[in-house]
Amino acid sequence: MTPRDDSESSGPRRSRWSDLERPPLNAAAVRRALVREGSLWREVDVVQRTGSTNSDLVARAAEGGLQEGVVLVAEEQTAARGRLDRQWVAPARSGLFFSVLLRPGDGVPMERWGWLPLLTGVAVATGLARAGGVDTALKWPNDLLVTVGGEERKAGGILAEATGDGGVVVGVGVNVSLRADELPVPTAGSLALAGAVSTDRDPLLRAVLRGLEDWYGRWRAAGGDAGACGLQEAYAAGCATLGRVVRAELPGDRALVGEAVAVDGDGRLILATEAGVQEPVGAGDIVHLRAG
């Protein structure tokens, strides 16, 4: 099913101005800014409400014939997922909720695809800083952190899923205008609570997607070599996990504690343990224990 652009539909529940503090995205303006000759972005769909943009885009890719560069944006998600099938809930028009279809297989070895969520994190953090004036740190491998009242809080996340036909759908969720009484958990945050100078989602979305196009282009041109294209260095510079003692909760109910000392060429987190060895972590849940 092709997503329907009903961001300006009428009616009491769907009125364009039902919440003046949270106006809908201007889908036509976003398309004009992003979909152009030579751009990565071929199609930008904005839907009023859906379960999960990632699930929708994976399903569309499974139908066949979907080109790289499709972007699906939702004003509201009712069944959004994070890593480990965690739920992501937010009021309508309170954040950026979107997924993109990428096909890095032509020229990038599959073992380097693990960089895609990290690459997206760099692009999102850069875009939010430029358009929103808010510092966003990266927690390995896919969380976006902001500082609220001197505390580090999660304001967003990234989820990458293979489509089964050589593609990857990368989903992004960012809390933009959530107020304190709307937070799903006390440890969550938003750009507004972090003191963003702007919470206008149109320029935020454009800045993030332009940043993603830029970094993805550099990474592909380098054959997925994150060191050669500068991605590895950029990620390390913005990663709040490095230099901290962390606990990695690994598959199979295993856990590993150590200082996060590096992100290697394959995007894995390197932990220096008390046993004096360096252990690479390619997948797992990371808990920050203390600053280094």
Side-chain angles (χ1 to χ4, degrees):
M1 182 180 71
T2 301
R4 180 169 55 93
D5 182 352
D6 59 0
S7 60
E8 299 187 28
S9 57
S10 59
R13 288 193 62 204
R14 302 300 186 195
S15 169
R16 180 175 176 84
W17 307 116
S18 58
D19 186 343
L20 293 178
E21 293 184 356
R22 290 173 176 159
L25 290 164
N26 187 329
V30 171
R31 287 193 197 97
R32 284 196 301 270
L34 296 172
V35 181
R36 63 191 188 280
E37 187 69 28
S39 168
L40 169 65
W41 310 121
R42 301 172 181 269
E43 178 184 326
V44 178
D45 291 319
V46 178
V47 298
Q48 186 69 28
R49 195 168 188 256
T50 191
S52 161
T53 56
N54 255 39
S55 296
D56 289 353
L57 206 47
V58 168
R60 286 180 61 189
E63 295 172 0
L66 200 60
Q67 292 182 308
E68 178 178 64
V70 173
V71 183
L72 177 60
V73 188
E75 295 282 33
E76 181 181 11
Q77 292 188 106
T78 59
R81 295 170 293 115
R83 287 182 64 249
L84 308 177
D85 285 328
R86 291 171 177 145
Q87 296 299 302
W88 182 281
V89 180
R93 302 185 302 280
S94 67
L96 296 178
F97 318 118
F98 68 91
S99 299
V100 303
L101 175 63
L102 304 174
R103 297 191 179 279
D106 184 14
V108 179
M110 187 172 290
E111 58 267 24
R112 291 178 172 173
W113 292 15
W115 270 101
L116 282 172
L118 281 65
L119 180 157
T120 303
V122 171
V124 173
T126 303
L128 296 179
R130 287 176 177 170
V134 62
D135 288 333
T136 307
L138 304 170
K139 178 185 173 187
W140 189 92
N142 68 337
D143 287 347
L144 305 165
L145 306 178
V146 295
T147 301
V148 179
E151 295 182 355
E152 204 171 59
R153 297 193 186 182
K154 178 177 176 178
I158 298 160
L159 179 66
E161 297 181 84
T163 63
D165 67 342
V168 179
V169 169
V170 182
V172 175
V174 180
N175 293 333
V176 175
S177 64
L178 262 71
R179 300 178 284 270
D181 61 348
E182 295 175 315
L183 296 174
V185 293
T187 55
S190 70
L191 303 190
L193 293 174
V197 298
S198 173
T199 56
D200 185 340
R201 294 179 305 138
D202 280 71
L204 291 173
L205 179 61
R206 292 196 298 268
V208 167
L209 287 173
R210 283 172 176 152
L212 182 51
E213 178 181 16
D214 179 41
W215 276 111
Y216 182 66
R218 294 193 215 180
W219 178 74
R220 284 196 68 176
D225 187 331
C229 69
L231 175 60
Q232 188 174 5
E233 181 180 3
Y235 185 85
C239 182
T241 302
L242 294 179
R244 296 192 182 210
V245 175
V246 304
R247 182 175 67 252
E249 297 174 352
L250 307 173
D253 293 326
R254 294 177 54 237
L256 183 66
V257 175
E259 181 183 354
V261 294
V263 174
D264 73 8
D266 292 323
R268 299 177 301 178
L269 186 67
I270 306 300
L271 300 187
T273 71
E274 290 185 349
V277 298
Q278 294 195 344
E279 295 275 357
V281 176
D285 210 21
I286 299 297
V287 179
H288 289 174
L289 299 180
R290 67 175 187 268

